[in-house]
Amino acid sequence: MRILITGAGGPSAISVWKSLGTSNELHMADMDVCAAGLYLVPHAQRLLVPRGDDPRLISVLLAECEARGIELLLPTVDSELVPVALARAEFAAIGVKLALPSAEALMLCRDKHALLTALATEVPVPESVVLDANTVTSLLTFPRFAKPRASAGSRGTVEVKNAEELEALPKDGSYLLQELLQGAEYSVDVYTRGDGVAIAAVPRERMKIDSGIAITARTVHLPEASDIAIRAARAAGVLYMANVQLKRNSVGELKLLEINPRFPGTLPLTARAGVDIPALMLAEIAGEAMPAELLPFEEVAVARYWTEEYFHPQEMDRLCRP
């Protein structure tokens, strides 16, 4: 299958390349000519695109998909998901398939406060309050955890130890202040078929994290986490890939942190454990018979390290030419 993957500079796109690169024609896109994933495919299969919030993005993707004969578009950048989903009919008109949930489900996941509020009756969620001029005076106990309502990769997150540190945060409603969860953290890779049946839910314990990415992790058989993740993805209306993040509180209770409705950067660990989710997605798109129940997996650990991809500097120059 001929597939276009965006966000070639991020671990999410690289994780999909690792699963699908040997058996499909992958085209890699990014806004940055330095994105490593661009240089994992032949020159003719690379392209530069506008950033996710640029109004030109969709017209560029449509034109490139049509010119290259792309059959499946896999956006991996959070800011691209909603614009691409809203253009679903335009992509379908040129023969491009999307394995994305509805734009409404994507928008719900994007706003962490809206997501936790909507799912509070379905799964355990942390105590949370939107930080603004009205709520700040009622916050008297610390420590707490603060995060932007819309962000990715742990950007902007901070532990708030006291009122002085709280004062440094914006009070414009853009931040969410939560109870501080200090137990083990898990990412659960969930795959839900297009008809709404979950066939994969693989918990990964995030043992060491750098810049929001797990660099040491292990898969664990944890039915409680799998069950919460499946119920959360279902309640949010997230079909296909959902990366559901959970964390334990001081008494061991698992609570929902967020749902990332895209491929996560540590997906190769899940594939190594026996559940190759990008391959499952392609099989479903191709109309192959799908599993009827949750797939088994093994417990595996991983410690990640940097690697290098060498190429001639002219490769970058060629990519920048109009």
Side-chain angles (χ1 to χ4, degrees), residues 51-54 57 75-86 100-119 130 147-157 173-176 178 232-233 236-238 241-243 256-262:
R51 55 183 292 153
D53 57 359
D54 191 312
L57 174 69
T76 69
V77 180
D78 288 305
S79 59
E80 296 174 346
L81 300 180
V82 171
V84 170
L86 289 171
L100 282 176
S102 67
E104 291 75 17
L106 294 169
M107 286 188 278
L108 179 64
C109 293
R110 185 76 173 151
D111 184 338
K112 295 177 177 62
H113 175 62
L115 177 72
L116 296 178
T117 301
L119 270 57
V130 174
K147 62 167 69 174
R149 289 177 63 169
S151 67
S154 298
R155 284 188 287 274
T157 61
S174 63
Y175 259 74
L176 198 59
Q178 299 181 322
V238 179
M241 180 73 228
N243 171 250
L256 173 67
L257 296 179
E258 59 189 59
I259 300 176
N260 300 306
R262 56 163 173 75

Side-chain angles (χ1 to χ4, degrees), residues 114-144:
L115 177 72
L116 296 178
T117 301
L119 270 57
T121 59
E122 304 290 339
V123 296
V125 300
E127 296 175 13
S128 305
V129 62
V130 174
L131 185 58
D132 60 27
N134 295 320
T135 59
V136 67
T137 56
S138 64
L139 300 170
L140 303 176
T141 59
F142 299 93
R144 293 175 182 255

Side-chain angles (χ1 to χ4, degrees), residues 171-236:
K171 314 297 186 303
D172 57 1
S174 63
Y175 259 74
L176 198 59
L177 206 64
Q178 299 181 322
E179 66 172 296
L180 182 64
L181 305 177
Q182 297 179 303
E185 183 173 344
Y186 301 90
S187 276
V188 187
D189 293 329
V190 177
Y191 186 78
T192 303
R193 301 185 325 208
D195 61 3
V197 176
I199 57 173
V202 181
R204 292 184 278 105
E205 183 178 358
R206 293 159 60 89
M207 302 170 69
K208 187 173 184 179
I209 301 170
D210 187 357
S211 302
I213 300 171
I215 56 175
T216 306
R218 63 180 183 181
T219 53
V220 291
H221 290 127
L222 197 61
E224 175 193 9
S226 297
D227 176 64
I228 292 174
I230 291 171
R231 287 192 285 127
R234 182 183 299 130

